[in-house]
């Protein structure tokens, strides 16, 4: 079998949190193009449904949108129940939903801190836990990919985002911990650390958008990345050519963190 054949995800089921738009949507499209059935798990049901229909129409796989709040255990339980009912199994989980608040550390309230940690770190834990539990029950193994960030490795400047940076550093250590615990079940867990990527989170943020010129001036490639530039690494991690890859973090940042 050729390497491209081996990379296919035909017959697999994937959920993508934060899959309605941005990086999650782009990776969902890539999983679908590789043959996987897709569950878009997002807080924003209207956008999630649009994305699910768009992917089904264009790629010819089965898709479903499920309103999911990654910070809410009952909502995640519902996501897993729906997946069991509709698809019978889960092979791939992309735990990707995340938010960013830009607030100086000295002014940040507990509520603001908790909001970021709850979505970015606890949300990744809860969704990865649910996916891992189901994969262990199934006895089939599986692949979990958690979205961290280059902000786990460096402190981005000039924006003040200590909760975001801390949450993403937590995602990497959580990923490694789960990879060790679940190695015996053949459930692989890796993380993705993107650099600046052009999505709603950056391009349409009133805090971040004005900083793009500044970031691009120091970026080795003098530009942001696109969501499409994260697709292939995720297809690799999701599929059966990466069976020796677990507990790793993949920095895809155009060399931004190299200096
Ligand atoms: P985005 O804002 O475009 O999309 C995020 C999606 O997550 C939205 O569809 C939103 O509805 C959903 N979401 C938010 N809170 C949720 C919740 N509680 N439950 C379920 N869904 C929720 O963001 P993006 O740029 O595509 O970012 C995706 C991930 O990549 C995030 O974890 C982000 O931190 C990370 N990341 C982004 C960049 C970047 O430059 N864009 C860089 C590094 C890492």
């Amino acid at each position: 079998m050729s390497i491209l054949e081996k990379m296919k995800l035909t017959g697999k089921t994937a959920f993508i949190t934060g899959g309605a738009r941005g990086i999650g949507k782009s990776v969902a499209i890539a999983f679908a193009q590789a043959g996987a059935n897709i569950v878009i798990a997002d807080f924003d049901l209207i956008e999630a449904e649009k994305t699910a229909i768009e992917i089904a129409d264009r790629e010819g796989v089965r898709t479903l949108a499920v309103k999911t709040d990654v910070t809410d255990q009952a909502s995640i339980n519902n996501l897993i129940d729906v997946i069991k009912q509709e698809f019978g199994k889960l092979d791939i989980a992309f735990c990707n939903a995340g938010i960013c608040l830009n607030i100086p550390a000295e002014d940040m309230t507990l509520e603001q801190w908790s909001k970021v940690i709850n979505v970015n770190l606890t949300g990744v834990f809860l969704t990865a836990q649910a996916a891992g539990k189901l994969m262990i029950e199934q006895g089939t193994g599986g692949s979990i990919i958690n979205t961290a960030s280059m902000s786990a490795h460096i402190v981005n400047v000039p924006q003040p985002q200590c909760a975001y940076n801390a949450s993403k550093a937590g995602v990497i250590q959580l990923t490694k911990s789960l990879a060790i615990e679940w190695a015996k079940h053949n459930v692989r867990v890796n993380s993705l650390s993107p650099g600046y990527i052009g999505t709603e989170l950056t391009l349409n943020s009133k805090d971040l958008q004005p900083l793009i010129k500044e970031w691009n001036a120091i970026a080795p490639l003098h530009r942001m990345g696109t969501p499409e530039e994260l697709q292939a690494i995720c297809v690799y991690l999701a599929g059966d050519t990466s069976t020796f890859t677990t507990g790793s973090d993949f920095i895809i940042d155009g060399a931004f963190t190299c200096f």
Side-chain angles (χ1 to χ4, degrees):
M1 198 191 287
S2 78
I3 188 74
L4 290 179
E5 277 298 314
K6 280 190 213 158
M7 287 185 85
K8 285 192 176 160
L9 305 176
T10 312
K12 293 184 188 282
T13 305
F15 79 60
I16 296 101
T17 72
R21 69 181 198 199
I23 293 169
K25 177 177 177 180
S26 181
V27 170
I29 291 169
F31 286 167
Q33 287 176 349
N37 294 319
I38 302 296
V39 179
I40 303 290
D42 202 291
F43 203 56
D44 182 345
L45 184 61
I46 295 175
E47 246 355 85
E49 278 175 341
K50 272 198 235 160
T51 297
I53 290 168
E54 185 186 319
I55 294 176
D57 286 352
R58 209 183 327 140
E59 313 302 342
V61 296
R62 277 187 68 200
T63 67
L64 196 66
V66 182
K67 184 175 172 68
T68 309
D69 179 352
V70 298
T71 68
D72 178 25
Q73 184 71 70
S75 178
I76 295 166
N77 293 347
N78 175 63
L79 170 68
I80 296 296
D81 288 347
V82 172
I83 290 172
K84 279 189 197 166
Q85 237 169 48
E86 297 294 323
F87 296 91
K89 67 181 178 109
L90 177 72
D91 307 286
I92 301 158
F94 185 33
C95 305
N96 163 75
I99 57 169
C100 187
L101 293 182
N102 284 271
I103 300 160
E106 67 274 22
D107 299 329
M108 188 171 299
T109 63
L110 175 60
E111 200 184 8
Q112 290 163 333
W113 167 269
S114 301
K115 189 173 175 184
V116 174
I117 299 295
N118 283 345
V119 178
N120 294 9
L121 181 54
T122 309
V124 168
F125 171 65
L126 292 175
T127 45
Q129 182 193 42
K133 211 171 161 185
L134 180 54
M135 289 166 181
I136 291 166
E137 260 170 43
Q138 291 171 176
T140 52
S143 173
I144 298 174
I145 306 161
N146 298 326
T147 304
S149 171
M150 71 170 170
S151 312
H153 300 270
I154 57 160
V155 174
N156 305 72
V157 290
Q159 64 272 33
Q161 50 175 43
C162 70
Y164 184 85
N165 298 344
S167 72
K168 295 300 187 177
V171 167
I172 292 180
Q173 193 64 350
L174 169 66
T175 298
K176 291 182 182 189
S177 307
L178 299 180
I180 294 282
E181 287 198 35
W182 294 342
K184 59 179 175 293
H185 300 292
N186 203 22
V187 174
R188 297 181 296 107
V189 194
N190 293 286
S191 58
L192 178 69
S193 281
Y196 292 121
I197 305 292
T199 66
E200 293 280 318
L201 185 91
T202 46
L203 302 178
N204 290 335
S205 152
K206 71 170 175 32
D207 294 323
L208 299 181
Q209 199 280 337
L211 304 177
I212 291 175
K213 254 195 185 157
E214 221 169 305
W215 300 337
N216 286 350
I218 53 171
L221 295 179
H222 297 300
R223 67 171 179 86
M224 300 171 84
T226 66
E228 291 71 26
E229 290 174 301
L230 303 173
Q231 288 177 321
I233 183 72
C234 292
V235 171
Y236 162 70
L237 289 174
D240 296 335
T241 58
S242 60
T243 41
F244 199 56
T245 307
T246 191
S248 293
D249 180 62
F250 293 81
I251 304 177
I252 310 289
D253 69 345
F256 199 98
T257 57
C258 290
F259 62 95

